[in-house]
């Protein structure tokens, strides 16, 4: 443990020295994105009686007439943080006051609104706590200013070589003036700095208490005395995950009737299964449409799109093709489920062929609802590990437009559709001569497929997912969970991702529909 700690400490000190050796400038801000617009609290959520914006800064304030009985927090609602570096400036101008920056934390609605618990980079008007790490509503003080500590598996705290003298470090803090706070979290290694000086470092090995992801928030402490704190220039840079793969799951807005196209509930259900059964990945879910978080995909290994498609596909309608294309060129995998596999032939078709190997092309592909039986699963492919053949009714799309000669594309799930599904009249989704030509021939159709790209990236297309209750089928669900891991280049277990889903799980998070 000591050897590991010393290595991490040496790396951290090396980083600090190299940072101090160069002047701050645009090069030092590469990858950072602002998460506060300087004008209002858009993207943030807190008690309006205590939080506001003035002169380009977020203001947290209590008064003698308007005190707080419980610590209250301003929560960043556009996303959660995992491995990251946060930079901001703060100023605490009151004679009394206590504040801080919460990260990888949890909202505790059972206690009250805007109550948060978790890691906190401390701020105070006195000279005891600023720079230290306090874990709100969990383990209390973890590291004081000047300490480097390791929390072992049992929660015992062992001190390593000091980060500095606490009194000297306090002297670098500008009282009642602006200070630059930096928080770096990578894996279980947490570092807090003020004005370029490391205030404390923590290596958290207590798996039952530590957090690898969670919300970001600013604290306003309870108390009878008035206090005033300000934050500005809040920038976030996501870092590659230290020991796992990250999957960003994007759920579309409500669509269709109850139990159909339950993008939000389906995404959260799959995320729950991954959180509980696939420690090799970290899943981040964005609901009700495209993320507002400007950093959403910055450290993704794969993205999953489960949403309405066609002309209104969020990737096409909002001209995001170039954005996703840039991600794929750095190796990010792409997973498209159900309607999300459909894009216009001219705008989106070429990109989807490149990203996931194929797509639903109108007047070529069709989308009938039918009961799939006697399906064939790919042999010796990681996605089908532990998956048993299953029969299920869904709106299974087929006759997809694939890359020429199926180059780099592997059929994962295939079945012979009933001839009745081939007899539709010519229209964009219901039928066409090429589909009708196979009536009576028992031609198997590809319903799910995996693709590998020349750049090393991967893609997956899944045409099911219309009916939410289908996620209750263990093999249907396992096929998707395995595919998520494979596309993110995480190891798929020999028996696939095992998960259990209850009736209550299937009812959770459903959209309110008439």
């Amino acid at each position: 443990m000591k050897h590991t700690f010393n290595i991490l400490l040496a790396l951290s000190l090396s980083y600090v020295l190299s940072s101090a050796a160069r002047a701050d400038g645009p090069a030092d801000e590469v990858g950072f994105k602002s998460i506060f617009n300087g004008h209002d609290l858009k993207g943030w959520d807190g008690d309006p009686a205590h939080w506001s914006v003035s002169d380009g800064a977020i203001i947290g304030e209590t008064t003698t007439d308007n005190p707080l009985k419980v610590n209250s927090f301003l929560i960043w609602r556009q996303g959660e943080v995992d491995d990251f570096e946060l930079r901001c400036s703060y100023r605490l101008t009151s004679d009394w006051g206590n504040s801080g920056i919460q990260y990888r934390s949890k909202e505790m609605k059972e206690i009250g609104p805007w109550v948060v618990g978790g890691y906190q980079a401390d701020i105070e008007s006195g000279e005891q706590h600023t720079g230290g790490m306090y874990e709100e509503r969990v383990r209390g003080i973890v590291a004081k200013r000047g300490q480097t500590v390791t929390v072992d598996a049992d929660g015992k705290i062992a001190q390593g070589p000091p980060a500095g003298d606490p009194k000297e470090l306090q002297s670098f803090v500008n009282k009642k003036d602006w200070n630059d706070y930096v928080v770096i979290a990578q894996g279980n290694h947490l570092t807090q700095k003020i004005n370029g000086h490391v205030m404390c470092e923590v290596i958290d090995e207590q798996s039952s208490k530590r957090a690898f992801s969670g919300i970001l928030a600013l604290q306003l402490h309870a108390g009878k005395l008035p206090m005033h704190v300000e934050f500005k220039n809040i920038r976030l840079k996501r870092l590659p995950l230290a020991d796992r793969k990250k999957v960003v799951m994007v759920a579309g807005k409500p669509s269709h009737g109850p139990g159909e196209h339950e993008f939000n509930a389906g995404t959260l259900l799959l995320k729950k299964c991954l959180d509980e059964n696939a420690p090799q990945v970290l899943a981040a879910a964005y609901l009700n449409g495209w993320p507002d978080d400007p950093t959403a995909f910055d450290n993704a290994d794969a993205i999953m799109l489960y949403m309405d498609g066609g002309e209104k596909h969020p990737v096409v309608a909002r001209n995001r093709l170039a954005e996703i294309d840039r991600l794929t060129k750095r190796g990010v995998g792409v997973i498209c489920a159900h309607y999300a596999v459909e894009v216009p032939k001219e705008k989106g078709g070429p990109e989807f062929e490149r990203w996931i190997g194929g797509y639903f092309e109108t007047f070529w592909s069709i989308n009938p609802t039918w009961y799939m039986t006697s399906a064939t699963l790919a042999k010796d492919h990681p996605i089908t590990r532990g998956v048993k053949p299953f029969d299920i009714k869904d709106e299974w799309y087929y006759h997809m437009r694939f890359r020429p000669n199926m180059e780099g594309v592997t059929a994962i799930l295939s079945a012979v559709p009933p001839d009745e599904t081939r007899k539709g009249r010519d229209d964009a989704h219901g039928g066409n001569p090429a589909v009708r030509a196979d009536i009576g021939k028992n031609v198997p159709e590809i319903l799910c497929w995996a693709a590998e790209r020349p750049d090393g990236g991967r893609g997956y297309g899944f045409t099911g997912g219309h009916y939410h209750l289908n996620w209750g089928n263990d093999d249907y669900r396992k096929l998707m969970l395995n595919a998520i891991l494979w596309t993110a280049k995480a190891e798929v277990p020999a028996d696939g991702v095992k998960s259990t889903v209850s009736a209550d799980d299937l009812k959770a998070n459903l959209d309110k529909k008439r």
Side-chain angles (χ1 to χ4, degrees):
M1 183 187 300
K2 289 182 178 179
H3 179 67
T4 301
F5 186 91
N6 289 334
I7 290 174
L8 289 171
L9 179 61
L11 290 171
S12 177
L13 291 174
S14 174
Y15 173 84
V16 173
L17 291 171
S18 64
S19 297
R22 64 178 184 269
D24 288 339
D28 197 35
E29 287 287 320
V30 171
F32 285 89
K33 295 178 181 177
S34 175
I35 57 173
F36 165 53
N37 63 22
H39 305 294
D40 55 36
L41 291 177
K42 182 179 180 181
W44 295 80
D45 176 32
D47 187 343
H50 295 285
W51 294 98
S52 61
V53 173
S54 179
D55 295 328
I58 292 173
I59 309 295
E61 188 171 37
T62 63
T63 64
T64 304
D65 296 330
N66 189 26
L68 276 171
K69 294 182 179 180
V70 179
N71 294 351
S72 188
F73 296 81
L74 181 69
I75 303 169
W76 183 52
R77 292 296 190 191
Q78 293 183 332
E80 295 191 349
V81 293
D82 35 70
D83 283 16
F84 69 93
E85 179 174 340
L86 178 79
R87 296 179 180 180
C88 70
S89 299
Y90 81 89
R91 178 170 64 178
L92 185 56
T93 57
S94 50
D95 292 329
W96 177 91
N98 187 300
S99 182
I101 302 166
Q102 282 275 325
Y103 56 99
R104 290 185 177 177
S105 302
K106 293 182 179 179
E107 189 171 5
M108 298 181 170
K109 294 181 180 180
E110 67 277 10
I111 297 175
W114 306 298
V115 176
V116 172
Y119 298 136
Q120 178 168 295
D122 256 348
I123 298 169
E124 70 154 343
S125 57
E127 297 189 354
Q128 184 176 358
H129 299 297
T130 297
M133 194 233 267
Y134 177 80
E135 196 171 14
E136 180 97 358
R137 298 187 179 275
V138 188
R139 291 173 290 187
I141 295 174
V142 178
K144 296 180 180 180
R145 183 176 62 249
Q147 290 184 338
T148 58
V149 306
T150 295
V151 185
D152 71 12
D154 297 321
K156 295 179 181 178
I157 297 176
Q159 293 191 35
D165 177 75
K167 291 185 179 179
E168 183 182 18
L169 290 173
Q170 174 64 36
S171 71
F172 299 128
V173 178
N174 302 315
K175 281 198 170 187
K176 295 190 177 183
D177 205 348
W178 288 105
N179 296 275
D180 294 329
Y181 219 135
V182 173
V183 178
I184 303 171
Q186 188 133 38
N188 67 342
H189 186 198
L190 314 169
T191 304
Q192 298 174 185
K193 300 191 292 183
I194 296 179
N195 296 329
H197 300 275
V198 173
M199 294 284 155
C200 72
E201 289 195 70
V202 175
I203 296 175
D204 195 349
E205 295 180 348
Q206 189 178 12
S207 58
S208 62
K209 296 289 182 69
R210 68 187 179 189
F212 286 108
S213 65
I215 62 176
L216 182 70
L218 307 176
Q219 187 202 56
L220 191 59
H221 204 282
K224 294 181 180 180
L225 296 176
M227 69 165 289
H228 181 103
V229 65
E230 302 173 53
F231 297 89
K232 67 179 181 179
N233 300 329
I234 308 173
R235 297 101 71 207
L236 178 66
K237 178 180 180 178
R238 295 194 180 268
L239 305 175
L241 299 196
D243 57 358
R244 62 189 69 192
K245 301 294 185 181
K246 181 176 178 180
V247 180
V248 177
M249 312 169 82
V250 184
K253 295 179 180 180
S255 168
H256 287 57
E260 302 174 350
H261 287 212
E262 295 286 355
F263 303 131
N264 293 313
T267 295
L268 289 175
L269 181 68
L270 292 171
K271 180 184 185 303
K272 181 176 184 290
C273 292
L274 293 171
D275 290 346
E276 294 175 352
N277 305 284
Q280 60 271 58
V281 298
L282 187 150
Y286 292 88
L287 308 178
N288 291 306
W290 206 256
D292 291 323
D293 176 3
T295 70
F297 306 114
D298 286 356
N299 64 346
D301 294 290
I303 60 174
M304 174 180 165
L305 308 178
Y306 189 22
M307 56 187 57
D308 281 349
E311 297 284 347
K312 295 182 179 180
H313 199 303
V315 172
V316 175
R318 297 291 182 177
N319 295 317
R320 297 186 176 106
L321 289 169
E323 177 185 355
I324 304 302
D325 203 48
R326 284 193 295 271
L327 293 171
T328 64
K329 287 177 179 176
R330 68 170 174 83
V332 176
V334 180
I335 303 149
C336 293
H338 198 51
Y339 199 178
V341 302
E342 182 186 329
V343 287
K345 179 180 179 179
E346 295 79 16
K347 187 178 182 181
E351 289 84 358
F352 271 51
E353 268 193 39
R354 187 162 65 251
W355 301 343
I356 66 170
Y359 67 102
F360 184 107
E361 179 186 310
T362 54
F363 298 102
W364 176 258
S365 308
I366 62 173
N367 66 342
T369 297
W370 51 289
Y371 196 87
M372 181 198 71
T373 61
S374 303
T376 300
L377 292 164
K379 294 181 180 180
D380 301 323
H381 196 287
I383 292 177
T384 58
R385 288 177 183 169
V387 180
K388 302 179 185 69
F390 57 93
D391 302 339
I392 203 164
K393 179 183 177 181
D394 209 328
E395 187 183 51
W396 292 109
Y397 305 167
Y398 66 84
H399 204 249
M400 311 300 285
R401 177 66 75 184
F402 291 109
R403 294 174 185 166
N405 303 315
M406 296 290 287
E407 183 177 354
V409 179
T410 301
I412 297 297
L413 177 71
S414 303
V416 177
D419 276 346
E420 287 299 315
T421 65
R422 297 185 181 275
K423 295 179 179 179
R425 296 180 179 180
D426 290 359
D427 67 28
H429 298 87
N432 59 70
V435 170
R436 291 193 295 271
D438 287 331
I439 291 175
K441 297 180 181 178
N442 291 323
V443 176
E445 298 283 358
I446 299 172
L447 311 178
C448 306
W449 66 93
E452 298 191 62
R453 305 195 301 262
D455 59 16
R458 296 173 176 176
Y460 183 68
F462 180 83
T463 70
H466 182 86
Y467 297 113
H468 181 67
L469 289 180
N470 284 351
W471 295 119
N473 182 292
D474 290 345
D475 293 294
Y476 180 99
R477 185 175 67 254
K478 181 179 284 190
L479 195 68
M480 176 57 83
L481 295 173
N482 288 354
I484 292 172
L485 265 62
W486 179 83
T487 308
K489 296 186 179 179
E491 180 62 28
V492 180
D495 294 327
V497 180
K498 297 180 180 179
S499 63
T500 302
V501 167
S502 68
D504 287 340
D505 290 333
L506 288 167
K507 293 177 183 176
N509 305 303
L510 294 171
D511 294 325
K512 294 180 180 180
K513 299 177 180 179
R514 295 183 63 181

